[in-house]
Amino acid sequence: MFMSCSFIKMAQFTPHSEELKTQNEELKTQNEELTSENVEDLKSEIEDLTSENEELTSENEKLKKQLAEFKEKIKELNFVLKIVGHPQPEPEED
């Protein structure tokens, strides 16, 4: 009797187990799809940010070069002012 009772209980749980297995597989599939989408979205965002960073770095280098040129011109103009005899302002330090 113990064996038959056990068998009946197993038979009762089996449909639930199959249903749970099916749900589990569906959830795994959904998780994989969402993970894949998230990874692709993050990759795209990283590429965009990397490109933007490169553009800003290039612009920054141009501005640094332009600033250095302006500082050099100021030095040259101050030298000319000194020769001509006009007072010159003190150079600003960075």
Side-chain angles (χ1 to χ4, degrees), residues 37-54:
E37 288 175 19
N38 286 340
V39 167
E40 291 304 315
D41 289 347
L42 289 172
K43 282 182 181 178
S44 176
E45 190 172 338
I46 288 170
E47 288 173 359
D48 292 346
L49 290 172
T50 299
S51 177
E52 185 178 345
N53 185 44
E54 290 171 354

Side-chain angles (χ1 to χ4, degrees), residues 77-78 81-82 84-90:
L77 289 172
N78 282 338
L81 286 173
K82 186 177 182 181
V84 175
H86 294 289
Q88 57 188 13
E90 291 293 321

Side-chain angles (χ1 to χ4, degrees), residues 19-32:
E19 186 178 327
L20 288 173
K21 285 181 184 177
T22 302
Q23 288 177 351
N24 190 29
E25 289 301 317
E26 289 173 0
L27 290 173
K28 282 182 181 178
T29 301
Q30 288 176 3
N31 187 33
E32 289 171 357

